[in-house]
Amino acid sequence: METNRQHLFLFDFDGTLTTRDTLLEFIRYACGTWMFLCGFLLYSPLLVLMKLHLYPNWKAKQRVFSFYFKGMSLSRFDELCQGFAEEKRSLLRPDMLEKLQQALQAGQRVLVVSASIDNWVRPFFDHQVTVLGTQIETTEGRLTGRFLTNNCYGAEKVNRVQTELALEEGTFNREDYDITAYGDSRGDREMLAFADEGHLVSRPSSLVSRISKLCTLFSIRREERWMAWVALAFFIMLNVLTICRYYDVFTPLQSDYWNLFVKWFSISGFDPITYYVVSDWEARYNVYRHPLLAFMMYLPYLLNRGLMWLTGINCVQFVVALMLVVAALYAFIFMYRILREVIELERSDATWLSAMLFSFAFVMVSSMVPDHFILSMFILLFTLYVSGKLIKERRSLGVGKTVLLFVLTAGISLNNGLKTFLAGLFVNGRSFFRPQYLLGAVLLPGLLMWGFCRWEYTNFVLPHEQARHAAKRAQKAKKAQEEKEKMAKLQVKEGGAGVSGVSGVSGVQEVKKKVKKRDPRLGKPMGEGEFMRWTDISTPRWDSVVENLFGESLQLHSDHLLKDEFRSRPIIVQYRWSFNYIVEALLVLLFVVGLWCGRHSRFLWLVVSWFVLDMLLHVGLGFGLNEVYIMTAHWVFIMPLAMAYLFKNLKDRYTLRMVRRVAQLLVLYLYIYNVVLIFQFMT
């Protein structure tokens, strides 16, 4: 009975029989490169939503297809399809084409099952091959832009095969066939599972395939969609508050954006530099702390310039808000994936702990202010996710990936680049010290980044600094000359009577040197170098840790609410109520116990190494200690990650249930408490 079974071969087309997707190639061939780029620019938001799995694949594909081909005659379309197949034979993969030809030569039945339009797939093969693709609708010989059949993707591939065989044989009996299938993507999973022998083939390595793989990494998965929508709505709400607060002041077009933003923007110690750079591009960030950040803002700047031209207002708040919302959303997504895939936490616990991260006061605030901290947290969590997966799978972090992660982390904030090197150390172990890795992934990138900082300062920062200093000197000289002329007029007017005393005072004022004193709120530094001048050895550590590091970072102080420490807020502010300290103690207790429970995890030790690095900088050296809470997004994710190990290792059900309830109540409290105070401040 086995010998009577008909052998059937099923091949996917795009990526399996070809080197890449043919939809884009066909559109470029049929419509030209310029029209191709215009259409995809127009539909880029829809395509992004499709890649994030927030918009159906078939709908996006149909709308793009309709844009290019609606109204075209079927004869013209088929002519283009024939020409495309003749001219683009190089798209076919020789290795897979050989397998198809071998099956045909052996007298086996071959079906090519593709999500592409069958009109341009069919001309690639002779009549021996049956092509089952997505079919297009026509009316009176012209394309309507709609599909006649369902998109031939996923389960639809199996349906089309069964329908085709049933039409030929009168009925379909799965037992009559011995099926071998080849596919390359998750759109082929059902077909491969349907076959007796399913082969998942890999595409040839190329830039396009790597970009496609990266897009898949950033796609929102089915399990994550509902929480992604909730998180998205929350982050949009926070940014709407910021936009409304400053809309009337920041939207009119200006000639001096720097003084406008510095004068009016005030939310805690955050800087509005990003607003300025996206409004009137300049390398205005401290290049030794944020070497690539200005260049990362160049495309948003161009977008804002285009919107200025279209709308007549400065749309910087909307452009920056878009960046903040996307960064915050993906920080949430990668936090959830770390909890689910690396630590292997239950779905409910992973959701609550991901929500906990954004219940912390200065993570919440970082998601709505024009500073770099939420961008840092996003890329740091992405680095942790990649590193955690590699540790779990016992694979190494290669030189190329290390360099890429270093450029992203260090480019945003230089000290975060050290965390990438620590990730390489914990992932690779002893292999980290191999000369090839140490030189290619650590020493050379570090030296190049430092050299770039020097080049950036010399070519982009220094000329502007010299121009500003020259302008200040000219203004000062002009003011001195005006005062001198005023005194001369006064001397003439009063006939010299008593003027000598006045001019003496004025002379003293003119020659008196202004001594620039260090602001006492910065604390006493360890030295006066480029970096050492930012240190602080005089600000009290214990009070800073209690009230700022684990205090303000997690729960806002109602007194001096979100005030800038360099304007009106004291360095140390105490809570009004003991309850705030109880909440802080519970959070720290859960954190510490979680560290103990996860003490055998290499991944947790990686996260701890990052935390220790931050604490050495902030508490040890005193870097930014006077407003340490604004750096919260750089380190605070260690707290819910440590708690995850507590949840995972608790064996007693009653104790676990109690700890969960405590954590959940803390999350709800923090959201209510911090959101109410933020609303109070912003409105």
Side-chain angles (χ1 to χ4, degrees):
M1 195 168 184
E2 289 276 339
T3 57
N4 294 329
R5 298 178 73 188
Q6 182 179 347
H7 205 150
L8 182 68
F9 282 84
L10 308 178
F11 288 88
D12 168 55
F13 185 63
D14 294 303
T16 302
L17 289 171
T18 67
T19 55
R20 50 188 177 271
D21 290 335
T22 54
L23 172 63
L24 305 184
E25 294 293 329
F26 179 74
I27 292 173
R28 182 180 294 177
Y29 170 82
C31 304
T33 301
W34 177 246
M35 191 64 181
F36 167 81
L37 293 174
C38 288
F40 271 82
L41 182 63
L42 177 65
Y43 283 96
S44 57
L46 198 64
L47 296 173
V48 170
L49 290 175
M50 181 194 75
K51 282 295 184 183
L52 297 179
H53 298 289
L54 299 177
Y55 191 83
N57 180 294
W58 71 269
K59 280 189 177 181
K61 181 178 174 182
Q62 182 174 266
R63 292 189 66 174
V64 171
F65 181 82
S66 179
F67 173 80
Y68 288 108
F69 301 110
K70 182 179 180 181
M72 180 180 287
S73 68
L74 180 60
S75 59
R76 174 57 181 159
F77 184 74
D78 284 337
E79 183 182 328
L80 288 170
C81 291
Q82 187 67 40
F84 175 70
E86 292 173 358
E87 188 172 316
K88 300 292 184 178
R89 299 289 299 177
S90 59
L91 290 173
L92 295 174
R93 294 177 57 171
D95 57 333
M96 295 304 300
L97 193 59
E98 184 180 355
K99 291 182 184 295
L100 185 146
Q101 293 296 341
Q102 287 174 352
L104 289 175
Q105 290 169 6
Q108 310 298 347
R109 180 76 188 280
V110 174
L111 277 69
V112 173
V113 192
S114 175
S116 287
I117 308 303
D118 57 10
N119 297 60
W120 73 67
V121 177
R122 194 175 294 110
F124 279 92
F125 308 99
D126 59 31
H127 66 279
Q128 292 177 282
V129 176
T130 301
V131 174
L132 303 178
T134 303
Q135 297 178 359
I136 52 177
E137 182 184 77
T138 59
T139 300
E140 297 180 352
R142 293 192 174 274
L143 279 62
T144 64
R146 296 187 295 271
F147 297 155
L148 186 63
T149 62
N150 292 333
N151 188 33
C152 194
Y153 179 92
E156 182 62 20
K157 290 196 172 190
V158 177
N159 295 336
R160 291 292 300 279
V161 170
Q162 291 176 327
T163 302
E164 177 69 18
L165 296 175
L167 286 173
E168 293 178 359
E169 304 294 337
T171 183
F172 173 75
N173 186 353
R174 177 64 181 81
E175 298 302 319
D176 293 340
Y177 296 91
D178 185 6
I179 302 176
T180 301
Y182 294 90
D184 76 300
S185 68
R186 64 179 178 180
D188 303 314
R189 287 177 184 172
E190 289 82 355
M191 185 174 74
L192 297 179
F194 175 68
D196 297 283
E197 187 179 332
H199 297 276
L200 183 64
V201 300
S202 58
R203 297 190 183 192
S205 180
S206 65
L207 179 61
V208 174
S209 63
R210 289 178 183 178
I211 293 174
S212 178
K213 190 174 181 180
L214 188 63
C215 289
T216 301
L217 189 62
F218 281 88
S219 63
I220 307 296
R221 300 164 188 170
R222 185 181 300 274
E223 178 183 315
E224 302 162 346
R225 288 179 194 173
W226 71 267
M227 64 184 74
W229 281 114
V230 173
L232 183 64
F234 180 69
F235 299 137
I236 290 174
M237 177 200 73
L238 292 177
N239 280 272
V240 166
L241 289 175
T242 307
I243 291 171
C244 291
R245 179 179 173 88
Y246 294 106
Y247 180 85
D248 292 337
V249 181
F250 290 168
T251 50
L253 300 180
Q254 304 283 335
S255 58
D256 183 5
Y257 285 110
W258 176 261
N259 287 321
L260 172 73
F261 295 137
V262 169
K263 177 182 178 182
W264 290 102
F265 183 85
S266 179
I267 299 179
S268 191
F270 295 102
D271 296 321
I273 299 176
T274 299
Y275 276 166
Y276 171 71
V277 174
V278 177
S279 297
D280 190 9
W281 194 89
E282 181 184 335
R284 201 59 182 261
Y285 301 101
N286 184 311
V287 297
Y288 295 107
R289 291 165 61 187
H290 315 289
L292 298 179
L293 193 53
F295 296 96
M296 292 177 181
M297 296 297 161
Y298 192 70
L299 285 179
Y301 157 74
L302 293 178
L303 174 61
N304 186 38
R305 279 287 164 178
L307 292 173
M308 284 182 180
W309 179 75
L310 286 172
T311 64
I313 64 172
N314 188 358
C315 298
V316 64
Q317 285 189 278
F318 299 96
V319 174
V320 173
L322 177 62
M323 290 190 294
L324 297 176
V325 167
V326 171
L329 175 63
Y330 275 102
F332 178 88
I333 292 297
F334 283 113
M335 180 68 181
Y336 178 79
R337 289 181 185 175
I338 291 170
L339 293 167
R340 287 285 284 153
E341 299 174 29
V342 178
I343 304 178
E344 296 182 335
L345 213 56
E346 291 183 12
R347 185 174 179 177
S348 174
D349 289 337
T351 304
W352 277 102
L353 289 177
S354 300
M356 175 183 280
L357 176 61
F358 285 89
S359 72
F360 296 148
F362 268 73
V363 175
M364 203 179 289
V365 177
S366 295
S367 304
M368 57 190 290
V369 295
D371 216 320
H372 72 281
F373 294 101
I374 201 65
L375 303 177
S376 282
M377 190 171 81
F378 153 59
I379 199 63
L380 287 174
L381 285 171
F382 175 71
T383 303
L384 278 181
Y385 174 70
V386 171
S387 303
K389 293 282 285 184
L390 292 174
I391 290 173
K392 187 179 172 72
E393 297 167 4
R394 299 183 181 276
R395 294 192 291 132
S396 62
L397 184 63
V399 172
K401 288 182 180 178
T402 305
V403 172
L404 176 60
L405 291 172
F406 172 74
V407 169
L408 292 173
T409 53
I412 295 174
S413 186
L414 193 60
N415 62 299
N416 285 339
L418 298 176
K419 296 178 180 178
T420 299
F421 295 152
L422 287 170
L425 175 62
F426 278 89
V427 173
N428 295 349
R430 293 180 182 178
S431 299
F432 176 86
F433 298 100
R434 289 180 179 174
Q436 183 180 0
Y437 184 87
L438 203 58
L439 178 64
V442 180
L443 297 179
L444 188 58
L447 289 173
L448 288 175
M449 184 64 76
W450 179 254
F452 182 84
C453 291
R454 298 297 302 173
W455 174 83
E456 183 181 3
Y457 179 79
T458 302
N459 291 276
F460 289 91
V461 179
L462 187 59
H464 288 284
E465 284 186 349
Q466 291 172 338
R468 285 194 292 269
H469 292 160
K472 286 181 179 179
R473 287 194 298 269
Q475 187 178 12
K476 188 176 180 180
K478 182 180 179 181
K479 189 174 181 180
Q481 181 64 27
E482 289 175 352
E483 185 178 352
K484 186 176 180 180
E485 291 174 358
K486 181 179 178 182
M487 294 306 302
K489 290 179 181 179
L490 182 63
Q491 188 174 10
V492 171
K493 183 178 180 179
E494 297 184 2
V499 174
S500 59
V502 176
S503 63
V505 174
S506 177
V508 171
Q509 290 175 342
E510 287 182 30
V511 298
K512 188 176 180 180
K513 299 287 185 180
K514 288 187 178 180
V515 180
K516 187 177 181 181
K517 296 182 179 180
R518 181 181 174 91
D519 194 316
R521 288 169 294 190
L522 286 171
K524 184 180 179 181
M526 295 180 180
E528 290 299 331
E530 179 65 35
F531 294 100
M532 296 306 291
R533 66 190 178 92
W534 294 98
T535 59
D536 179 353
I537 59 174
S538 60
T539 299
R541 264 41 178 185
W542 176 253
D543 289 342
S544 295
V545 168
V546 173
E547 303 296 349
N548 292 342
L549 183 68
F550 289 110
E552 179 82 349
S553 296
L554 311 181
Q555 304 174 85
L556 294 170
H557 285 90
S558 54
D559 293 328
H560 303 283
L561 177 61
L562 289 174
K563 296 299 182 182
D564 189 346
E565 181 264 336
F566 281 92
R567 298 192 185 190
S568 60
R569 184 191 189 276
I571 295 176
I572 304 298
V573 178
Q574 295 182 334
Y575 291 108
R576 296 181 186 179
W577 312 103
S578 299
F579 182 75
N580 295 103
Y581 293 105
I582 294 172
V583 169
E584 182 179 339
L586 282 173
L587 288 167
V588 173
L589 178 63
L590 291 173
F591 167 46
V592 172
V593 175
L595 290 176
W596 175 257
C597 291
R599 65 191 183 278
H600 299 301
S601 167
R602 186 197 291 188
F603 174 74
L604 184 59
W605 277 108
L606 164 59
V607 185
V608 168
S609 72
W610 287 13
F611 176 69
V612 170
L613 175 64
D614 282 316
M615 293 306 103
L616 285 174
L617 285 172
H618 301 317
V619 181
L621 296 176
F623 177 82
L625 182 61
N626 56 320
E627 50 180 8
V628 69
Y629 36 83
I630 71 169
M631 268 75 76
T632 301
H634 282 170
W635 63 268
V636 79
F637 43 79
I638 191 177
M639 296 186 72
L641 288 176
M643 293 178 202
Y645 286 93
L646 171 60
F647 288 178
K648 187 177 179 180
N649 287 279
L650 275 177
K651 304 301 181 184
D652 182 71
R653 289 187 177 182
Y654 176 77
T655 305
L656 177 59
R657 190 181 303 115
M658 183 179 67
V659 170
R660 278 176 175 157
R661 294 296 175 266
V662 170
Q664 290 167 1
L665 287 172
L666 286 172
V667 171
L668 292 174
Y669 159 76
L670 288 171
Y671 270 108
I672 295 171
Y673 177 83
N674 289 322
V675 168
V676 167
L677 288 180
I678 287 172
F679 263 92
Q680 179 183 324
F681 176 81
M682 298 299 286
T683 57

